Amino acid sequence: MLILGIESSCDETAASVVKDHREVLSNVIASQVDEHKLYGGVVPEIASRRHCENILWVVQKALEDAHTTLDELDGIAVTYAPGLIGALLVGVNFAKGLALASKKSLVPVHHIAGHIAANYIAHPDLKPPYLCLVVSGGHSHIVEVLSYTEFHVIGRTRDDAAGECFDKCARAMGFPYPGGVHIDKASKSGDPKAFTLPRPKIAGNEYDFSFSGLKTAVINMLHNAKQKGEEINCNDLSACVQNTIASIVTEHTMSAAERLGYNKIAVAGGVSANSGVRETMSKMCDKKGYSLYMPPLSLCGDNAAMIACAGSYNFDAGIRADSSLNAYATMSLEENISLEARRTI
Ligand code: KG4
Ligand code: ZN
């Protein structure tokens, strides 16, 4: 089975062809990060325009690299939610046109389901059910992956996502956008015990996250130091931020796994590239005897191979969309296949 995946939910225009669910034949990504860096974050209007300019050659290259043609495809999978609406619409409309012209099935994919699927590409033995920590720029979720297409979100962020917290702390320290990777690098020569940062206790759902208090504490610390003419060692502060985020996400995932009886854990999303998160999760999973699955760094961030992989499982499950498919800026992972209901909105 050959599925073409298309991803345009944020600032990466990406296309990929995946064979039989997990074999990546091509994986093309046109990143806009250098342009958005100038503004300190993604400018939605610019993102949409660049997707428009890039999508045709990105898809053509994905087909060429895979030595295949539209005719040979079984379906065209596209990210339709969640993300920047103008950015998503470019991929969705392109996929709709392509599916209509080539008479191929159009398969809608939820972006988070895509991140979860990145691990299938890297780990041939990984099969549901298992517990997945999804940490990205826009989302922090603990998800029970019940099957390839069914998910139960048991914890989510109440405010900022883990990646957003990394990026905002990094920005306050003067690192360029996206700052997560700079905090990761700076941490390597910092002391993770140099500062005490807040660890939020949340009332209600014990698996939920809250990162806004941590972000505010870091911004205030830097602001106060500046006012006093003092200098803060950003390597140390980076190590403390990374250590705090890594231990919070790991602790929540471990207690959910223990309570719900999972011994198979996966991590996905852009922040799964973070060395602190990877190390802390690995140590704790080793200690508890859990199997841990993490994507290679190349599949942690946004890419279309993960969308094609998730799309091929949706295809198997009979999940299809027609030309009325719309894009949605927000949509929970659990409601993602209720497309029939959505069409009437
Ligand atoms: O999954 P992703 O590419 O996009 C979304 O779906 O949001 O995640 C992007 C996020 C950004 O916040 C970025 O700073 C963060 O992932 N990120 C990292 C690292 N690499 C990417 N955060 C911490 N450490 C890293 N090494
Ligand atoms: Zn993403």
Side-chain angles (χ1 to χ4, degrees):
M1 185 214 303
L2 275 189
I3 299 285
L4 168 70
I6 297 176
E7 155 66 35
S8 72
S9 66
C10 191
D11 57 349
E12 258 97 33
T13 319
S16 163
V17 178
V18 165
K19 185 181 171 191
D20 299 338
H21 304 105
R22 300 186 185 214
E23 189 188 340
V24 179
L25 301 186
S26 63
N27 192 11
V28 182
I29 305 179
S31 174
Q32 309 170 3
V33 75
D34 287 341
E35 191 168 2
H36 296 293
K37 206 176 258 175
L38 304 172
Y39 305 94
V42 178
V43 182
E45 166 87 14
I46 294 177
S48 309
R49 287 172 185 272
R50 297 299 166 260
H51 286 310
C52 268
E53 291 161 6
N54 291 332
I55 196 150
L56 179 60
W57 74 258
V58 166
V59 169
Q60 277 174 335
K61 185 162 178 4
L63 292 170
E64 275 164 31
D65 289 359
H67 304 291
T68 190
T69 59
L70 271 180
D71 275 353
E72 288 176 327
L73 298 177
D74 291 285
I76 298 169
V78 64
T79 308
Y80 77 108
L84 299 171
I85 195 70
L88 285 165
L89 280 167
V90 176
V92 165
N93 276 305
F94 190 88
K96 275 161 56 163
L98 207 59
L100 200 65
S102 61
K103 299 189 173 59
K104 299 291 173 183
S105 299
L106 179 65
V107 183
V109 175
H110 190 284
H111 185 73
I112 303 297
H115 275 300
I116 291 170
N119 274 307
Y120 298 134
I121 295 168
H123 306 287
D125 60 317
L126 179 61
K127 291 183 181 69
Y130 59 93
L131 195 68
C132 187
L133 167 71
V134 187
V135 269
S136 72
H139 307 271
S140 299
H141 282 357
I142 299 179
V143 182
E144 284 186 273
V145 181
L146 305 169
S147 75
Y148 288 112
T149 55
E150 291 163 299
F151 309 95
H152 180 213
V153 179
I154 57 163
R156 48 170 56 83
T157 184
R158 301 269 180 97
D159 39 57
D160 293 350
E164 208 176 339
C165 183
F166 267 117
D167 292 347
K168 286 180 179 160
C169 292
R171 188 177 178 161
M173 284 187 246
F175 293 124
Y177 172 84
V181 69
H182 297 284
I183 291 200
D184 199 342
K185 281 185 190 145
S187 293
K188 300 207 186 318
S189 31
D191 172 8
K193 295 204 169 71
F195 305 100
T196 307
L197 295 174
R199 281 163 192 257
K201 275 267 171 262
I202 309 165
N205 185 348
E206 62 181 303
Y207 307 130
D208 278 356
F209 301 106
S210 166
F211 293 108
S212 70
L214 171 61
K215 172 195 71 183
T216 308
V218 168
I219 292 172
N220 287 345
M221 189 185 284
L222 288 160
H223 183 71
N224 291 341
K226 198 175 171 189
Q227 283 194 326
K228 289 187 208 152
E230 293 169 3
E231 201 149 307
I232 285 201
N233 181 320
C234 284
N235 292 343
D236 287 346
L237 188 54
S238 292
C240 293
V241 169
Q242 176 164 304
N243 193 45
T244 307
I245 295 177
S247 63
I248 292 171
V249 297
T250 304
E251 276 165 24
H252 285 215
T253 310
M254 291 301 137
S255 72
E258 203 161 322
R259 186 77 58 85
L260 299 168
Y262 285 96
N263 57 11
K264 228 187 328 178
I265 315 283
V267 189
V271 179
S272 62
N274 182 263
S275 61
V277 170
R278 294 175 87 90
E279 203 183 302
T280 317
M281 284 294 295
S282 302
K283 268 191 198 147
M284 285 309 290
C285 285
D286 271 359
K287 200 170 153 191
K288 301 248 179 199
Y290 297 161
S291 326
L292 176 66
Y293 298 85
M294 296 187 286
L297 296 191
S298 60
L299 292 175
C300 291
D302 290 346
N303 65 85
M306 67 186 197
I307 301 302
C309 175
S312 64
Y313 286 110
N314 282 357
F315 182 90
D316 277 354
I319 298 167
R320 304 280 189 277
D322 62 22
S323 300
S324 67
L325 179 67
N326 207 342
Y328 301 91
T330 55
M331 180 183 288
S332 93
L333 189 53
E334 285 152 327
E335 67 174 318
N336 111 71
I337 32 184
S338 340
L339 281 170
E340 290 306 324
R342 283 263 157 191
R343 274 194 207 113
T344 59
I345 290 171

